[in-house]
Amino acid sequence: MTHKVAILGASGYTGAELVRLIAQHPTIEIAALSAERKAGMTMAEVFPHLRHLELPRLCKIGEIDFSGIDLCFCALPHKTSQEVIAALPQDLKIVDLSADFRLRDPAEYEKWYGNPHAALAQQKEAVYGLSEFYREEIKSARLVAGTGCNAATGQFALRPLIAAGVIDLDDIILDLKCAVSGAGRSLKENLLHAELSEGYHGYAVGGTHRHLGEFDQEFSKIAGRPVKVQFTPHLVPANRGILATVYVKGDAQAIHDTFAKAYADEPFIELLPIGEAPSTRHIRGSNFCHIGVAADRIEGRTIVIAALDNLTKGSSGQALQNANLMLGEEETTGLMMAPLFP
Amino acid sequence: MTHKVAILGASGYTGAELVRLIAQHPTIEIAALSAERKAGMTMAEVFPHLRHLELPRLCKIGEIDFSGIDLCFCALPHKTSQEVIAALPQDLKIVDLSADFRLRDPAEYEKWYGNPHAALAQQKEAVYGLSEFYREEIKSARLVAGTGCNAATGQFALRPLIAAGVIDLDDIILDLKCAVSGAGRSLKENLLHAELSEGYHGYAVGGTHRHLGEFDQEFSKIAGRPVKVQFTPHLVPANRGILATVYVKGDAQAIHDTFAKAYADEPFIELLPIGEAPSTRHIRGSNFCHIGVAADRIEGRTIVIAALDNLTKGSSGQALQNANLMLGEEETTGLMMAPLFP
Amino acid sequence: MTHKVAILGASGYTGAELVRLIAQHPTIEIAALSAERKAGMTMAEVFPHLRHLELPRLCKIGEIDFSGIDLCFCALPHKTSQEVIAALPQDLKIVDLSADFRLRDPAEYEKWYGNPHAALAQQKEAVYGLSEFYREEIKSARLVAGTGCNAATGQFALRPLIAAGVIDLDDIILDLKCAVSGAGRSLKENLLHAELSEGYHGYAVGGTHRHLGEFDQEFSKIAGRPVKVQFTPHLVPANRGILATVYVKGDAQAIHDTFAKAYADEPFIELLPIGEAPSTRHIRGSNFCHIGVAADRIEGRTIVIAALDNLTKGSSGQALQNANLMLGEEETTGLMMAPLFP
Amino acid sequence: MTHKVAILGASGYTGAELVRLIAQHPTIEIAALSAERKAGMTMAEVFPHLRHLELPRLCKIGEIDFSGIDLCFCALPHKTSQEVIAALPQDLKIVDLSADFRLRDPAEYEKWYGNPHAALAQQKEAVYGLSEFYREEIKSARLVAGTGCNAATGQFALRPLIAAGVIDLDDIILDLKCAVSGAGRSLKENLLHAELSEGYHGYAVGGTHRHLGEFDQEFSKIAGRPVKVQFTPHLVPANRGILATVYVKGDAQAIHDTFAKAYADEPFIELLPIGEAPSTRHIRGSNFCHIGVAADRIEGRTIVIAALDNLTKGSSGQALQNANLMLGEEETTGLMMAPLFP
């Protein structure tokens, strides 16, 4: 049985990545693609790398007949997304890739994003889309909120440890190194090749990055008490990849054992032998997350490093994984491609 | 029905790329992987990006039982390849990725490669592996010689034009821009990131690159008289991709029409609208070749630009395409994945 | 004696490069810096890499008192530049880095740039700023028109050959590979790191690039009859550098000899031994141009390759070289720094 | 007065960088250049970017007449360096760029480097070469030990804070992002462009990097009690640059004030306004170190970020700064060039 899907906001990187993935999916078919400012164009014009595919022409959202659509991916900017989703049919299955439905508490949303939430009804029913930890809720959800890409990486590196109580909850530092496609196709000077390719730097330094809202929400929920982490992202001259170097206080072997147990049956999480460090070149273009654990020379301190592709496992791959769950398909369908190396 | 294959020389980039592709192939199974110096290691140790796959441990060629193998990919260095292939069972189907069986004339081989050919019997039966132009011969071949990656790119840009007689055969210039993975995993100073990433340059300037042997052989054969092209490759700071800018004397519209006709039914060749130029970012990681045609401001001169991924369409993808033909499978099986962008 | 200069349009890459160079110049002092939209900001805010320098605050052009200025660099966009220069004091020495005063024939200007020239009086007196070939005129010029960076590279590779009559004038092909800083700090999708770093492509294919106006003008002038070259630029994933691969018909040794004679006393032109190919990594950040010559395997065909840094020798370094000449300074002052490698 | 210097080990990146810098120095002249395996070659053959300079031909160390040499830079591999230096004239001024004389305690040397020290006499007299903190000792030293490039970066970010007692000494984490030229010109797979350019990763994870020996020695000396930091370096796809993100417990304003006071008169240290983060693109090719300070959202936690060019301020620039001090020159001579951006 084939499922028909629409992708709203198909002219950005996450939209293109969804098309790339779904093109290989045996039972999902793209029925509609929207892009307000590029409506009327073909995908081949916007993304020549997709020119071999037969795809619907880009249209405006208002032109889509949702009656035949089984599921809708929303790859729209945040704030726009909530407005659009509030107006969509209320029985349509939705995977939202924006930040709009990630935070359970509307006050937290407003604190991090600066505007009151405009789709509170939908926000209430949304399920947090970290597939490995919300699998059952996602299966029966109508609206799934894809996680932030940094937020996903940090959670893969920390959730089992917080749940198992093997680390000090008051001294967690996440130093993230993010590739540039995570910033999207927006035109900013520091994203230009000339400025980025031989330059890297921290940003949102001091705990101002919005993905902290997700960390606070999820880690506190698992711990059963407030947990606040330190989180400093850095922009590095690569296209795809997030590498989270996480500094924790806890025993390395216990931490490794905890991961081994937590991720034993996870198809997309690869735990490296203790002492080995993952690299973004080994996960590029794939839905895999590699996790490494090493004891520091200082007793009782451990470094956890997690690597994933921000556009795949961190965003569109996660979205398809969730769609599979929502549509009753095998979770891994269309997602087992090997990374592209070199 | 599942076909069992062996990959000899699996620890190089083309070997890894074959594994990446075959991992997604529904009817081909990897039964053996060899790497003389890394025998005993797992593929996950050599290529951590493949760690999610269940693969045979690397072994020496002598340890492989070829009786159960349906087809063997040889991704060995040239000269080694001919020696190995001469010693393999003579009824084993083989796709060779080296340069050893590309040239029909042993004297030409010796001229370009510097040593007499050591497997003349096998050389005689080898079929040149440019799938789009030797499809029928490949279907019934025992031994197929994969083409050079530069040679493939140049031929896609020129064969139909030479065959149709729409260009001047005595004034053809190929200016190629090659990404660095084409140089393989060899350790040379000019392949270091520090030296290449902000540096690009011509090499083998003046007509000394060995792929000229293939151009001479194939273009002269099509034309029915000697054809010699000028060919200057350049190394550019990218990982995957070959972009051939070809300067010819001929009418742009006639050239575009000729391509349109020649490639009308080809699943992997995408002809762009006249005037558009392809980019390597639109074919990366895929088996597609994009071709563009533009008229120069000087009457009667035309620029043809072809772009493909040297490791996929230029090497391992082509090898799998040929294996599909030899094994009676659909030619495109396992090869229709979309390019990775960005 | 110290010369006071102003830089108009100091917030772009060529403006920043001028400041970098002049900061090391013993007898030139920056008295004013303009940037209309960033007026009021410090250079450290716009270009943090210059924060160690004491520099005037950015202002609007109208705020500059030109009475104390000895020479003015105009690093403004073309079309704006001519309007500004028409309104500047008519005895002020000017080095213009834009395209506005390069073409001698106003009709040619209009043909390539699409608008009638708005400063015809100034255009008449302008001297073409290729220092090595217009040295004497530049010394006594009031207004010098800096050349296009591609145009400079192509001319270094061809002028002596055309002048000496050692190549066929009707069959010259320039295949250029340009780094991205040549596109300036403009915000375009194809200049984003995510799109460029693993992608390269031709542009302005077919003879539509505006620098052809300069080639036509200069080459025809030298030859004493119309000369039209083929010119295809390519954008490659590097920040600085232009590499021109020039295909000519002529004898390689005669060509090498011609260069040796023509450039014997040139401080910035380095002729490589015959057969060697230059690389952009060997000229980065410097005012040098490396030139290589190689015979093709086809008799009578030769490849000339020239490499320079588009922002230095191709633009701001050339501008300073010209300013030195205009101010009576040694031509090389402040320009002999070695390239940055790696 | 001109000082004559020799550079031993001139065929590596730090040797080339020394030549680049000294070529602009008004009173230092290069009298000899050694490279054992490349003896007999010209520098232009080894480093074509230096071909415009008149330089002595590369020779073996044994061929150098040290009687006319005022100062010798040793850019040799560690272990070799100590053997060579033990055999040099004992009154020759030396700046050593290797790791051999950095650690005061021979036992610590053996612990981190694995071999007993072979030049204990020289080791005793060596002065640690962090110019800003050992200025007076360096002025009168015969043998100065250049610091590790990571070690320099970390110390600029921490020494004043430890000295002033404004941070918790038991909870210091240095997360470093290092560009690839720091690994030198050695041929390793993970330094290849194909593997590094789209891949980044941690290495020496867990406190095994040798520069920890320097941190331990220096920080403990300043504090007057043992101080052990956590230090995780990462290799990122850039050529030049080190970015140290340092996590400390202390008040951001007090930390910023401490830096402001400590570095008020330092010509090469630029303290950014509080809250601003430095980028490696703003120090490339220069001798400057940029330092930023930001308060974390968690009270009492502060992030310090320091950026410098590993080959310049982290190595050869520091060496020249020390040579200036040793030779009685102005400390900044030949070192005030602006960074290369973009």
Side-chain angles (χ1 to χ4, degrees):
Chain A
M1 182 198 149
T2 296
H3 312 281
K4 288 186 192 292
V5 300
I7 302 174
L8 310 187
S11 65
Y13 291 153
T14 53
E17 182 76 349
L18 274 170
V19 174
R20 176 178 83 90
L21 296 172
I22 294 173
Q24 293 285 90
H25 196 290
T27 59
I28 294 183
E29 184 188 306
I30 296 172
L33 294 165
S34 89
E36 296 304 296
R37 281 178 306 166
K38 293 182 174 166
M41 294 176 73
T42 64
M43 276 299 262
E45 290 170 307
V46 179
F47 289 119
H49 71 291
L50 300 174
R51 61 179 306 128
H52 64 287
L53 296 173
E54 293 200 29
L55 293 167
R57 195 172 279 270
L58 289 164
C59 66
K60 289 176 185 282
I61 295 173
E63 296 165 11
I64 300 176
D65 173 8
F66 285 99
S67 65
I69 305 289
D70 297 299
L71 184 144
C72 180
F73 294 98
C74 288
L76 299 163
H78 71 89
K79 213 178 157 198
T80 301
S81 199
Q82 58 193 257
E83 290 160 13
V84 166
I85 286 174
L88 289 179
Q90 293 305 304
D91 58 348
L92 179 65
K93 286 183 203 287
I94 294 172
V95 177
D96 183 37
L97 285 80
S98 86
D100 277 358
F101 298 95
R102 294 170 184 166
L103 299 184
R104 309 310 313 132
D105 179 352
E108 281 294 299
Y109 174 83
E110 189 166 348
K111 175 182 139 196
W112 287 103
Y113 291 90
N115 55 289
H117 204 290
L120 288 173
Q122 289 74 26
Q123 196 248 18
K124 245 178 230 134
E125 63 173 322
V127 170
Y128 191 65
L130 201 66
S131 327
E132 282 73 7
F133 297 95
Y134 286 89
R135 195 166 269 133
E136 293 311 313
E137 293 91 324
I138 291 166
K139 278 182 191 169
S140 55
R142 183 188 79 85
L143 169 58
V144 169
T147 73
C149 53
N150 297 321
T153 318
Q155 288 181 68
F156 288 131
L158 280 167
R159 289 185 74 117
L161 311 184
I162 295 172
V166 293
I167 57 170
D168 180 345
L169 297 180
D170 294 316
D171 224 344
I172 299 171
I173 293 175
L174 289 94
D175 187 285
L176 261 72
K177 294 87 179 164
C178 308
V180 70
S181 63
R185 214 175 194 183
S186 52
L187 298 171
K188 294 179 191 160
E189 285 178 357
N190 74 328
L191 306 183
L192 292 175
H193 186 276
E195 313 220 356
L196 183 64
S197 75
E198 275 291 310
Y200 46 99
H201 58 87
Y203 66 99
V205 178
T208 63
H209 195 289
R210 287 160 165 177
H211 290 181
L212 274 167
E214 291 173 67
F215 286 136
D216 289 357
Q217 167 181 291
E218 295 298 310
F219 294 156
S220 299
K221 186 175 153 192
I222 302 166
R225 60 99 150 168
V227 174
K228 280 193 161 192
V229 300
Q230 254 187 294
F231 162 43
T232 310
H234 299 76
L235 192 61
V236 299
N239 291 334
R240 286 175 177 246
I242 298 178
L243 190 89
T245 309
V246 187
Y247 297 89
V248 293
K249 293 182 172 161
D251 178 69
Q253 189 60 55
I255 284 169
H256 196 268
D257 291 347
T258 301
F259 280 133
K261 202 172 151 195
Y263 293 137
D265 299 323
E266 287 301 338
F268 295 119
I269 314 283
E270 292 281 327
L271 179 64
L272 309 192
I274 196 161
E276 282 189 24
S279 169
T280 58
R281 71 170 151 263
H282 296 139
I283 48 78
R284 188 158 38 123
S286 83
N287 206 49
F288 296 101
C289 173
H290 285 193
I291 297 180
V293 175
D296 193 70
R297 62 169 187 157
I298 302 177
E299 176 119 15
R301 308 241 186 133
T302 295
I303 298 109
V304 176
I305 306 185
L308 54 73
D309 183 316
N310 55 297
L311 283 180
T312 318
K313 187 60 177 158
S315 186
S316 300
Q318 182 199 72
L320 181 56
Q321 192 176 346
N322 288 333
N324 279 335
L325 290 168
M326 294 163 80
L327 293 168
E329 294 290 327
E330 193 66 40
E331 187 174 341
T332 57
T333 304
L335 288 167
M336 292 301 288
M337 63 282 170
L340 191 72
F341 169 87
Chain B
M1 181 195 150
T2 295
H3 312 281
K4 286 184 193 292
V5 300
I7 301 175
L8 310 187
S11 65
Y13 291 153
T14 53
E17 181 76 349
L18 274 170
V19 174
R20 176 179 82 92
L21 296 171
I22 294 172
Q24 292 286 87
H25 197 290
T27 59
I28 295 184
E29 184 188 307
I30 296 173
L33 294 166
S34 89
E36 297 304 296
R37 280 178 308 166
K38 294 183 173 163
M41 293 176 74
T42 65
M43 275 299 263
E45 288 170 308
V46 179
F47 289 119
H49 70 291
L50 300 174
R51 62 180 304 129
H52 63 289
L53 297 172
E54 292 199 30
L55 293 168
R57 195 172 278 269
L58 289 165
C59 65
K60 289 174 184 285
I61 295 173
E63 295 166 10
I64 300 176
D65 173 9
F66 285 99
S67 65
I69 305 289
D70 296 299
L71 185 143
C72 180
F73 294 98
C74 288
L76 299 163
H78 71 89
K79 211 176 160 198
T80 301
S81 198
Q82 59 193 257
E83 291 161 11
V84 166
I85 286 174
L88 289 178
Q90 292 305 302
D91 58 349
L92 180 66
K93 286 184 203 288
I94 294 172
V95 178
D96 183 38
L97 284 79
S98 86
D100 278 357
F101 298 95
R102 294 170 185 166
L103 300 184
R104 309 311 313 133
D105 179 352
E108 280 294 299
Y109 174 82
E110 188 165 347
K111 175 183 139 196
W112 286 104
Y113 291 90
N115 55 287
H117 205 289
L120 289 173
Q122 288 75 26
Q123 196 247 20
K124 244 179 230 133
E125 63 171 323
V127 171
Y128 191 66
L130 201 65
S131 327
E132 281 73 6
F133 297 96
Y134 287 89
R135 194 166 269 134
E136 293 312 310
E137 293 92 325
I138 291 165
K139 278 182 189 169
S140 56
R142 184 188 78 85
L143 169 58
V144 170
T147 74
C149 53
N150 297 321
T153 318
Q155 289 182 67
F156 287 130
L158 280 167
R159 289 186 74 117
L161 310 184
I162 295 173
V166 294
I167 58 169
D168 180 346
L169 298 179
D170 295 317
D171 224 344
I172 299 171
I173 292 175
L174 289 93
D175 187 285
L176 261 72
K177 294 88 179 163
C178 308
V180 70
S181 63
R185 215 176 192 180
S186 52
L187 297 172
K188 294 178 192 162
E189 284 178 357
N190 74 328
L191 306 184
L192 291 175
H193 186 276
E195 313 220 355
L196 183 64
S197 76
E198 274 291 310
Y200 47 99
H201 59 85
Y203 66 98
V205 178
T208 62
H209 195 288
R210 288 161 165 177
H211 290 182
L212 274 167
E214 291 174 67
F215 286 136
D216 290 356
Q217 167 181 291
E218 295 297 311
F219 293 156
S220 299
K221 187 176 154 193
I222 302 167
R225 60 100 150 168
V227 174
K228 279 192 162 193
V229 300
Q230 253 188 295
F231 162 43
T232 309
H234 299 75
L235 191 62
V236 300
N239 291 335
R240 286 174 176 246
I242 297 178
L243 190 90
T245 309
V246 187
Y247 296 90
V248 293
K249 293 181 172 163
D251 178 69
Q253 190 60 56
I255 285 170
H256 196 266
D257 292 346
T258 302
F259 281 133
K261 202 172 149 193
Y263 293 137
D265 298 324
E266 288 300 337
F268 296 119
I269 314 283
E270 293 281 327
L271 179 64
L272 309 193
I274 196 161
E276 282 188 26
S279 169
T280 58
R281 70 171 151 263
H282 296 140
I283 47 78
R284 187 157 40 121
S286 84
N287 207 50
F288 296 101
C289 173
H290 285 194
I291 296 181
V293 175
D296 193 69
R297 61 168 189 159
I298 302 178
E299 176 118 15
R301 308 240 187 134
T302 295
I303 297 109
V304 177
I305 306 184
L308 55 73
D309 182 317
N310 56 298
L311 283 180
T312 318
K313 187 60 177 159
S315 187
S316 301
Q318 182 200 72
L320 181 55
Q321 192 176 345
N322 288 334
N324 279 336
L325 289 168
M326 295 163 79
L327 294 167
E329 294 289 330
E330 194 64 40
E331 186 174 341
T332 56
T333 304
L335 288 167
M336 292 302 289
M337 64 281 171
L340 191 73
F341 169 85
Chain C
M1 181 198 149
T2 296
H3 312 281
K4 287 185 192 293
V5 300
I7 301 174
L8 311 187
S11 65
Y13 291 153
T14 53
E17 181 75 351
L18 274 169
V19 174
R20 176 178 82 92
L21 296 171
I22 294 173
Q24 293 286 90
H25 196 289
T27 60
I28 295 183
E29 184 187 305
I30 296 172
L33 294 166
S34 89
E36 298 305 295
R37 282 177 306 165
K38 294 182 173 166
M41 294 176 73
T42 64
M43 275 299 262
E45 289 169 309
V46 179
F47 289 120
H49 70 290
L50 300 173
R51 62 179 305 128
H52 63 289
L53 297 172
E54 293 200 29
L55 293 168
R57 195 173 279 269
L58 288 165
C59 66
K60 288 176 184 283
I61 294 173
E63 296 166 11
I64 300 176
D65 173 7
F66 284 100
S67 65
I69 305 288
D70 297 299
L71 186 144
C72 180
F73 295 98
C74 288
L76 299 163
H78 72 90
K79 213 178 158 197
T80 301
S81 198
Q82 59 192 258
E83 291 161 12
V84 166
I85 286 174
L88 289 178
Q90 293 305 303
D91 57 349
L92 179 65
K93 285 183 203 289
I94 294 172
V95 178
D96 183 37
L97 284 80
S98 86
D100 277 358
F101 298 95
R102 294 169 185 166
L103 299 184
R104 308 311 313 131
D105 180 351
E108 280 294 300
Y109 174 83
E110 189 166 347
K111 176 183 138 195
W112 287 104
Y113 292 91
N115 54 289
H117 204 290
L120 288 173
Q122 289 74 27
Q123 197 249 18
K124 246 179 228 130
E125 63 171 322
V127 170
Y128 192 66
L130 201 66
S131 328
E132 281 74 5
F133 297 96
Y134 286 89
R135 193 166 271 132
E136 293 312 312
E137 294 90 326
I138 291 165
K139 278 182 190 168
S140 56
R142 183 188 80 86
L143 170 58
V144 169
T147 74
C149 53
N150 297 321
T153 318
Q155 289 182 68
F156 287 131
L158 280 167
R159 290 185 74 116
L161 311 185
I162 295 173
V166 293
I167 57 169
D168 180 344
L169 298 180
D170 295 317
D171 224 344
I172 300 171
I173 292 174
L174 290 94
D175 186 286
L176 262 72
K177 294 88 179 162
C178 308
V180 71
S181 63
R185 215 175 193 183
S186 52
L187 298 172
K188 293 179 191 161
E189 284 178 358
N190 74 328
L191 306 182
L192 292 175
H193 186 277
E195 313 219 357
L196 184 64
S197 75
E198 276 290 311
Y200 47 100
H201 58 87
Y203 66 98
V205 177
T208 63
H209 195 288
R210 288 160 165 177
H211 290 181
L212 273 167
E214 292 174 67
F215 286 136
D216 289 357
Q217 167 181 293
E218 295 298 310
F219 294 156
S220 300
K221 186 176 155 193
I222 302 167
R225 61 102 151 165
V227 174
K228 280 194 161 192
V229 300
Q230 253 188 294
F231 163 44
T232 310
H234 299 75
L235 191 62
V236 299
N239 291 334
R240 286 174 176 247
I242 297 179
L243 190 90
T245 309
V246 187
Y247 296 91
V248 294
K249 293 181 173 163
D251 178 69
Q253 189 61 54
I255 285 169
H256 196 267
D257 291 347
T258 301
F259 281 133
K261 202 172 150 194
Y263 293 137
D265 299 323
E266 288 300 337
F268 296 119
I269 314 283
E270 293 281 327
L271 180 64
L272 310 193
I274 196 162
E276 281 188 25
S279 170
T280 58
R281 69 170 152 263
H282 295 138
I283 47 78
R284 188 158 38 123
S286 83
N287 207 49
F288 296 101
C289 174
H290 285 194
I291 297 180
V293 175
D296 193 70
R297 61 168 189 159
I298 301 178
E299 176 120 14
R301 308 242 186 132
T302 295
I303 297 111
V304 177
I305 306 185
L308 54 74
D309 183 316
N310 56 297
L311 283 180
T312 319
K313 186 60 177 158
S315 187
S316 300
Q318 182 200 71
L320 181 55
Q321 192 176 344
N322 288 334
N324 279 335
L325 289 168
M326 295 163 80
L327 293 168
E329 294 288 329
E330 193 65 40
E331 187 175 339
T332 56
T333 304
L335 288 167
M336 293 301 289
M337 64 281 171
L340 191 73
F341 169 86
Chain D
M1 181 197 149
T2 295
H3 312 281
K4 287 185 192 292
V5 300
I7 302 174
L8 310 187
S11 65
Y13 290 153
T14 53
E17 182 76 350
L18 274 169
V19 174
R20 176 178 84 91
L21 296 172
I22 294 173
Q24 293 286 89
H25 196 290
T27 58
I28 295 184
E29 183 188 307
I30 296 173
L33 294 166
S34 88
E36 298 304 294
R37 281 178 307 165
K38 293 182 173 164
M41 293 176 74
T42 65
M43 275 300 261
E45 290 170 308
V46 179
F47 289 119
H49 72 290
L50 300 173
R51 62 180 306 128
H52 64 288
L53 297 172
E54 293 200 29
L55 293 168
R57 196 172 278 269
L58 288 165
C59 66
K60 288 174 184 286
I61 295 174
E63 296 165 11
I64 301 176
D65 173 8
F66 284 99
S67 65
I69 305 289
D70 297 300
L71 185 143
C72 180
F73 294 98
C74 288
L76 299 163
H78 71 89
K79 212 177 158 197
T80 301
S81 199
Q82 60 192 258
E83 290 160 12
V84 166
I85 286 174
L88 288 178
Q90 293 305 302
D91 58 349
L92 179 66
K93 285 184 203 288
I94 294 172
V95 178
D96 183 38
L97 284 80
S98 85
D100 277 359
F101 297 94
R102 295 170 184 166
L103 299 184
R104 308 311 313 133
D105 178 353
E108 279 294 299
Y109 175 82
E110 189 166 347
K111 175 183 139 195
W112 286 103
Y113 292 90
N115 55 288
H117 205 289
L120 289 173
Q122 289 74 27
Q123 196 247 21
K124 246 180 228 129
E125 63 173 322
V127 171
Y128 191 66
L130 201 66
S131 328
E132 281 74 5
F133 297 96
Y134 285 90
R135 192 166 270 134
E136 293 312 312
E137 292 91 325
I138 291 166
K139 278 181 188 169
S140 55
R142 183 187 79 85
L143 170 57
V144 169
T147 74
C149 53
N150 297 321
T153 318
Q155 288 181 68
F156 287 130
L158 281 167
R159 289 186 74 118
L161 310 185
I162 295 173
V166 293
I167 57 169
D168 180 346
L169 298 180
D170 295 317
D171 223 343
I172 300 172
I173 292 174
L174 290 93
D175 187 285
L176 262 72
K177 295 88 179 163
C178 308
V180 70
S181 64
R185 214 176 193 181
S186 52
L187 297 173
K188 293 178 192 162
E189 284 178 357
N190 75 328
L191 306 183
L192 292 175
H193 185 277
E195 313 219 356
L196 184 64
S197 76
E198 275 291 309
Y200 46 100
H201 58 86
Y203 65 99
V205 178
T208 64
H209 195 287
R210 288 159 165 178
H211 290 181
L212 274 166
E214 292 173 66
F215 286 136
D216 289 357
Q217 167 181 291
E218 295 298 310
F219 293 155
S220 299
K221 186 174 154 193
I222 303 166
R225 59 100 151 169
V227 175
K228 280 194 161 192
V229 299
Q230 253 189 296
F231 163 42
T232 310
H234 299 76
L235 192 61
V236 299
N239 292 333
R240 285 174 177 248
I242 298 178
L243 190 90
T245 310
V246 187
Y247 297 90
V248 294
K249 292 180 174 164
D251 177 69
Q253 189 60 56
I255 285 170
H256 196 266
D257 291 347
T258 302
F259 281 133
K261 202 173 151 192
Y263 293 137
D265 299 324
E266 287 301 337
F268 295 120
I269 313 284
E270 293 282 327
L271 179 64
L272 309 193
I274 197 162
E276 281 187 26
S279 169
T280 59
R281 70 170 151 261
H282 295 140
I283 47 78
R284 187 158 40 122
S286 83
N287 207 49
F288 296 100
C289 174
H290 285 194
I291 296 180
V293 176
D296 193 70
R297 62 168 187 158
I298 302 178
E299 176 120 15
R301 307 240 186 134
T302 295
I303 297 109
V304 177
I305 306 185
L308 54 74
D309 183 317
N310 55 298
L311 283 180
T312 319
K313 186 61 177 157
S315 186
S316 300
Q318 182 201 71
L320 180 56
Q321 192 176 345
N322 288 334
N324 279 336
L325 290 168
M326 294 162 80
L327 294 168
E329 293 290 330
E330 193 64 40
E331 186 174 341
T332 56
T333 304
L335 287 167
M336 292 301 289
M337 64 282 171
L340 190 74
F341 169 85

